[in-house]
Amino acid sequence: MLFNSFSFAAFLPIVFILYWILGKERLRSQNILLLGASYFFYACWDWRFMFLLIFSTLLDYFTGLKMMESKNNRTKKFLLWLSISINLGFLGIFKYYNFFADSFADAIANFGLQVNPWTLKVILPVGISFYTFHGLSYVIDIYKNRIPAEKNFIDYSLFVSFFPLLVAGPIERATHLLPQIKKERSFDYSRAIDGLRQILWGLFKKIVIADQCANYANMIFNHSGEYSGSTLLLGAILFAFQIYCDFSGYSDIALGTARLFGIELLRNFAYPYFSRDIAEFWRRWHISLSTWFRDYLYIPLGGSKGGTWAKVRNTFIIFLVSGFWHGANWTFIIWGLLNALYIMPSIVFNTNRSNLDTVAQGRTFPSLKEFAAIILTFGLTVFAWIFFRANSVQHAFNMISTIGSESFFSVPQIVPVKLFLLLALFILIEWNGRMEQYAIAKFALSWPKPVRWGIYYGLVLVIFFFAGAEQQFIYFQF
């Protein structure tokens, strides 16, 4: 069930109405309803993979209880690593087995030996990377004595599988979400309206911006040998907007939907393309994943405490793991390696915290220095996105070679004027709201009420105008 589908448009109001009319034992009934709705939501993708979600939930639930009961640190550590091994084992089998099998065969072939590895003919269970990380953070937090084990199975199951975040995040923490699940919730009209605004803005980003960019980006990437360097660069830029609006659009819809039920999810994006360096970009892009790797991998490795070499080593590990988390392909690993290289100067010279303020804070326009830094950071990001989107490493290098040729100075063979105008409007709205949780709120609330509602209805009409065949969100494949 896609957020941008008519089935979800019917599903959400039904769950919302039932949720708020429940009477006796309201909290327990609400959580049971949300859990049932979440399992139904997931089963609509492929009911056969429900067993993985339920198994992962049971594994970490009982591991947490056993860890809390144990007085022996060795036993607790054993249980922790058992849970980590099983969770990552399932993730590895479904997501990475074929990659390792094919890579091994290719490596052996370099020595003149031919092997035919046995590969799995299964699809990747949607959301497995996200709900696996939910469970891992939970058992690690129990081991570190940050939280007690959750005894209520319904509450814990809802934490793992809450439908707005189940298949593409944000990656939640038990320390943040479980207390909200266990707390009585009452209907808040203003919060619900904020949620609807955020859903509307997310749908606009997905349907009007991301899907339209995808039409051109897919055409250019899939037939890259037919286009000039300038056109290939245009395709890379359009993909940059596609992946941002697609993924942040999903996050907006997820956060807005959760808010309808009185629950606040972690923020996942903070206008990353306005970043002035790569360190700032990674504080603003896929925030829940970046902070997850920081807290559960970077800091346990030693973080920034072991001198320059340790910081460099740990940073490379984080970005390589991040690339590998996104997919079983060398293109993702190179994408992660590039970002590690980009951030190295700020790590070595300890300037990675130099841009903690919002760009042009208190001013309408950025300074010339800020603008140049934004363009440079965006350009480096677009270059890395070429590897992320390319079908293979060779495909990426072929595109880069063409972009670096004389054809770069030719007029692009594709000039989507209507899309350029939409992107200009989108950037204007985002820039106007760059210090807010979501841009459309500041943009709309600054106008009188009639104008404000005109903006909302205008967005709805634009969404319906551009809506076509339902297109999946990019991050479902991760």
Side-chain angles (χ1 to χ4, degrees), residues 331-332 334-335 338 383-390 393 396-397 400:
T331 55
F332 296 117
I334 293 178
W335 169 78
L338 278 172
F383 182 81
W385 283 138
I386 294 174
F387 286 92
F388 195 96
R389 172 59 180 82
V393 174
F397 279 124
I400 293 168

Side-chain angles (χ1 to χ4, degrees), residues 403-430:
I403 291 173
S405 68
E406 292 181 358
S407 64
F408 172 79
F409 299 99
S410 63
V411 176
Q413 294 156 266
I414 297 173
V415 184
V417 176
K418 183 169 64 175
L419 181 55
F420 289 164
L421 294 175
L422 286 170
L423 284 173
L425 173 64
F426 169 73
I427 293 170
L428 175 64
I429 294 174
E430 290 254 304

